[in-house]
Amino acid sequence: MRLDPQIALLRSDRAPQRRAQAAMVAACEAWGSGPGIADMLAELADFGQSAPLEACPQLECMFTQPEVAEQVARALTGHFARMLTTTPLGHPPMRHGFNGSASTLLLAKSGRAQLLLQAREPGRHTIDSVSFSDGLRYEAVLAGAARAVIVRRCEPAGSDARLYEEPIALAPGARLAFDCRGEALVLEEVTCRLVSLRLHRTAAEPRPSTEHDRATGRLLQQTCGDLATSRREMMVALLGRMRRSEAAPLLAEIARETADASLRWQALRECLALDTAAGFVALSTIARRSDDALAPEAGALRAQLIETYPQLRQLEEPPCPG
């Protein structure tokens, strides 16, 4: 196998790699301190802390006025293109990814806000479901062409929905704004690589994200909208997959006392699987609480389990007097 001399050099001496990366960091800093960019990034901090977009003029004009977003992108690519001519093995010091059809470059992040550069490769897409999340999204199309649909949901989150579709054509200069709780953009066909600048902000206390069948509006699944809670749900699920029965008391406590409903339900399911007695006692406790939002679901599950396994009645703790 042939190794390029430059790659072979990197394997034997890390100094060129460190110099290349330092050069790319310098290019990123030069872009960030450029005219208008520094003010825009400063406003991103305010936007990430709940400031309305109208209160961030430099940020707002990228998604309302022509050519501003394009100038930001040209400045970025100009800095990196010049640096790559001398350091071809360097790479941008920003989070980036590519899954075969979409590539993303995280330009900046502050609080709950993210500014991204995204590209979608040409191709047709058959998309049978659509997802909604609790946040705001602004998009400026910089290059390419695509056929898309804006899907709007007309029912509250957490239930089957009525969905309405509006076909649109995406081309350079297009500016879009979405309330992601009830609006989503579905790309059906990209005819020329679509490049967009995107601004996204999650809600301070995000409600669950939902996925619906596009044809019928039927609710397919619901996931926690808060990243920290989602991580805790994964930890709880991992305890279950590892069959850590000693964690059952902790899971029962999470199910009874934690504020987030989705995390409580996940903990309750895993507790029932690991230790039926502890899980069923926690389930019955929740079902008896008149002020608990999970009481109806817990009561329905309790009744279903008792109907299938009548012996579970023996596991219940007697209700407190009074």
Side-chain angles (χ1 to χ4, degrees):
M1 181 176 68
R2 177 186 177 276
L3 285 179
D4 187 276
Q6 293 188 64
I7 296 178
L9 179 62
L10 293 179
R11 295 180 63 185
S12 61
D13 183 3
R14 294 186 179 180
Q17 185 174 355
R18 289 195 295 268
R19 287 195 296 269
Q21 200 54 30
M24 297 302 287
V25 170
C28 182
E29 292 175 346
W31 170 75
S33 61
I37 307 297
D39 292 337
M40 179 269 292
L41 295 177
E43 290 180 352
L44 184 67
D46 296 331
F47 183 74
Q49 296 297 326
S50 299
L53 187 63
E54 310 86 72
C56 308
Q58 294 294 326
L59 201 57
E60 181 188 28
C61 67
M62 288 198 302
F63 301 95
T64 58
Q65 298 181 16
E67 284 299 311
V68 178
E70 287 78 359
Q71 292 169 7
V72 170
R74 280 196 293 267
L76 177 74
T77 55
H79 281 289
F80 282 124
R82 285 192 295 271
M83 197 58 65
L84 285 171
T85 59
T86 56
T87 55
L89 296 180
H91 60 86
M94 304 165 173
R95 186 193 307 172
H96 55 278
F98 178 64
N99 64 6
S101 63
S103 54
T104 302
L105 185 66
L106 179 62
L107 303 184
K109 178 180 179 180
S110 183
R112 294 180 282 110
Q114 293 183 337
L115 183 66
L116 310 106
L117 191 64
Q118 188 175 69
R120 295 293 298 267
E121 297 302 308
R124 293 186 177 183
H125 307 279
T126 301
I127 301 174
D128 298 324
S129 64
V130 59
S131 298
F132 301 92
S133 59
D134 199 356
L136 299 174
R137 171 177 159 187
Y138 302 91
E139 192 147 340
V141 179
L142 307 178
R147 182 171 52 85
V149 170
I150 297 176
V151 183
R152 294 185 172 89
R153 178 178 62 182
C154 298
E155 295 293 334
S159 66
D160 294 344
R162 287 179 297 161
L163 302 179
Y164 297 91
E165 298 190 355
E166 176 190 348
I168 62 169
L170 299 180
R175 300 294 187 263
L176 304 169
F178 301 100
D179 180 345
C180 300
R181 292 173 297 179
E183 297 176 309
L185 181 68
V186 176
L187 293 180
E188 295 190 319
E189 182 180 10
V190 178
T191 54
C192 179
R193 182 184 290 118
L194 189 73
V195 182
S196 301
L197 188 67
R198 179 180 298 179
L199 177 65
H200 184 267
R201 184 179 71 190
T202 57
E205 296 181 359
R207 287 172 285 185
S209 301
T210 59
E211 181 182 359
H212 297 263
D213 181 83
R214 188 173 165 191
T216 66
R218 182 171 60 90
L219 179 65
L220 300 178
Q221 66 175 347
Q222 178 173 294
T223 57
C224 179
D226 180 70
L227 182 58
T229 301
S230 181
R231 287 171 177 164
R232 295 184 68 188
E233 286 186 15
M234 291 178 63
M235 295 175 189
V236 165
L238 180 61
L239 289 172
R241 301 294 84 74
M242 295 175 67
R243 303 184 183 278
R244 299 296 297 267
S245 57
E246 71 274 19
L250 173 61
L251 296 176
E253 180 182 354
I254 293 173
R256 290 192 301 265
E257 307 300 336
T258 305
D260 188 272
S262 63
L263 175 59
R264 293 177 62 201
W265 196 250
Q266 180 70 33
L268 188 59
R269 292 173 56 199
E270 300 298 344
C271 186
L272 281 165
L274 291 173
D275 186 327
T276 303
F280 192 75
V281 168
L283 176 67
S284 299
T285 299
I286 296 170
R288 287 195 297 264
R289 292 175 177 171
S290 60
D291 59 345
D292 195 319
L294 282 185
E297 289 83 0
L301 178 58
R302 172 186 171 278
Q304 179 183 351
L305 290 175
I306 287 178
E307 182 179 356
T308 307
Y309 308 102
Q311 62 270 32
L312 289 176
R313 285 187 180 276
Q314 304 173 17
L315 301 176
E316 287 189 294
E317 293 181 343
C320 297

